[in-house]
Amino acid sequence: MSEKKYQVGIIGSGRIANAHAQGYQGVDEVEMVAAADPVQSVLDNFGQQFGIENRYLDAHEMLAQEDLDIISVATWHKLHAPMTIAACARRVKAVLCEKPMATSLGECHEMMTVAQRNDVKVAIAHQRRFNSAWTDARQLIAEGAIGEPRQFQIVCRDGQGLLNVGIHWLDMMRYVLSDPRAEWVIGNVERKTERYERETPIEDRSAGIIGFEGGCIGMLLQEIAGPNYQGGMIYGSDGIIDLTEQRARLLNNKATDWEDRPSDGSNQHVAQARELVDWIEDRTVHRGQAEHGMAAVEIIMAIYESTRMHEVVQMPVRKIGRASCRERV
């Protein structure tokens, strides 16, 4: 294990910043040295909790004053793109940006461009890619435990909409299927209420059907109403996997009953930070690299575009400047 300490700065000091910080605490090679947040009391509480002495009310000042290797962007959605771009412009080694990657495809492309120009590794914090049950399901499918995957159905009941929570499950579809490319999307949304999640409008209900390369069809059914539940069923030619964050259950033609395969309970945020260091040191590629974060955003934008056009959207979604398809629905 390397003894080198990577200097970490965190932009944003709210709840999700706590998760990022707890992840870094579990990795010996990193040291949190600076944090930025425009609310002094929140910033001070965060700094005291994690022993961060250098605190800034302006993230740009932090980036200018500190010699940082890693930046965590733990802000509200609308600031993900500008803060990531600003960090990349400072030529840090890596940025861990909270999900969703951005609120428009135009912003995603800008983030990717600036990162590539400045040789910065950018990962999106889809930390559930480090959930052992999801990784177990991915391996089972890759090994042929259910034969050829044909349908992947997910039900998501919560109060936080597509971009905040639904995006986890769209990313989960791709991750568990070994990240196939989406070829087409058809979807619809209902929004009769004025609900917002961190200044982002959210849907009362939405549905998305995704055709992946290889032939598997994904389906996401998301709504605000009803008891909180998030889970998926993967149907293959020779078996089924019932998947939640807590466990994978396998039934195939080699067994007469379900096999329970519980999550090992390991900390996903620590694993995410650990792999970021491994990526910086060229031992692996981060499973949350920006390309995957953008792919999940693109599927959501395709759902919005399908709603607007009342037709199947072929992928990739055509670029429409900085505006998102959501803003045009």
Side-chain angles (χ1 to χ4, degrees):
M1 181 179 292
S2 170
E3 296 181 356
K4 181 175 181 179
K5 289 283 186 179
Y6 293 103
Q7 307 296 295
V8 176
I10 300 178
I11 301 174
S13 300
R15 180 176 60 85
I16 197 61
N18 281 261
H20 282 231
Q22 289 164 10
Y24 291 126
Q25 282 183 324
V27 180
D28 292 338
E29 296 94 329
V30 304
E31 179 182 9
M32 292 177 284
V33 298
D37 194 287
V39 181
Q40 187 74 64
S41 60
V42 174
L43 177 63
D44 288 341
N45 288 338
F46 180 76
Q48 291 166 10
Q49 180 180 355
F50 293 101
I52 302 171
E53 296 184 0
N54 300 333
R55 305 169 194 168
Y56 298 84
L57 295 174
D58 186 332
H60 294 282
E61 182 182 358
M62 182 187 79
L63 293 171
Q65 294 294 326
E66 300 286 338
D67 184 16
L68 299 170
D69 301 299
I70 298 171
I71 298 293
S72 259
V73 177
T75 63
W76 286 14
H77 306 337
K78 291 181 179 180
L79 290 176
H80 290 178
M83 290 296 98
T84 297
I85 290 169
C88 289
R90 290 288 174 178
R91 296 182 180 271
V92 298
K93 290 181 172 62
V95 175
L96 178 62
C97 176
E98 190 48 44
K99 58 81 198 162
M101 182 173 177
T103 59
S104 77
L105 275 179
E107 289 180 331
C108 290
H109 284 285
E110 288 179 32
M111 294 163 75
M112 296 282 288
T113 298
V114 175
Q116 291 167 1
R117 286 177 177 172
N118 291 283
D119 195 26
V120 179
K121 293 177 166 66
V122 175
I124 308 304
H126 283 286
Q127 80 280 356
R128 299 181 192 184
R129 282 179 169 249
F130 297 87
N131 181 297
S132 65
W134 289 18
T135 300
D136 186 26
R138 176 185 170 107
Q139 292 171 344
L140 285 170
I141 292 171
E143 293 166 0
I146 62 169
E148 179 184 343
R150 293 179 175 169
Q151 294 183 22
F152 198 151
Q153 299 178 4
I154 292 176
V155 174
C156 178
R157 297 191 186 99
D158 62 83
Q160 300 182 61
L162 275 175
L163 270 173
N164 191 54
V165 171
I167 199 166
H168 271 307
W169 294 92
L170 292 167
D171 182 68
M172 180 255 247
M173 279 188 195
R174 294 190 67 252
Y175 177 63
V176 171
L177 295 172
S178 294
D179 292 306
R181 181 177 61 87
E183 296 181 329
W184 55 264
V185 173
I186 186 169
N188 208 345
V189 304
E190 176 186 73
R191 188 169 189 265
K192 294 182 177 179
T193 62
E194 288 296 312
R195 297 176 190 251
Y196 288 81
E197 196 280 321
R198 282 175 281 194
E199 296 184 350
T200 299
I202 58 176
E203 308 77 19
D204 297 331
R205 294 178 179 86
S206 62
I209 302 173
I210 305 100
F212 291 106
E213 62 180 346
C216 188
I217 304 297
M219 177 184 295
L220 174 68
L221 300 176
Q222 177 267 338
E223 63 177 328
I224 288 177
N228 190 293
Y229 173 78
Q230 299 173 21
M233 301 288 290
I234 307 108
Y235 299 93
S237 57
D238 295 319
I240 305 170
I241 294 175
D242 176 6
L243 185 61
T244 68
E245 289 189 80
Q246 290 73 42
R247 51 94 183 112
R249 298 176 70 226
L250 172 67
L251 178 65
N252 61 19
N253 56 12
K254 298 179 181 178
T256 58
D257 201 357
W258 290 95
E259 176 190 352
D260 286 316
R261 304 168 69 97
S263 167
D264 64 12
S266 58
N267 189 304
Q268 300 164 37
H269 296 283
V270 172
Q272 178 174 248
R274 168 77 265 167
E275 194 160 283
L276 192 66
V277 170
D278 289 341
W279 193 22
I280 290 171
E281 298 184 353
D282 294 324
R283 289 193 291 268
T284 189
V285 174
H286 200 279
R287 70 191 72 178
Q289 62 181 310
E291 289 84 350
H292 298 316
M294 184 167 67
V297 171
E298 184 177 29
I299 292 172
I300 290 178
M301 295 304 157
I303 291 173
Y304 293 142
E305 185 72 347
S306 179
T307 301
R308 186 177 76 91
M309 297 296 293
H310 306 291
E311 63 185 23
V312 172
V313 173
Q314 300 297 327
M315 305 293 266
V317 176
R318 61 187 177 87
K319 291 175 66 177
I320 52 176
R322 292 182 60 89
S324 70
C325 299
R326 169 180 52 78
E327 292 165 347
R328 297 179 56 171
V329 172

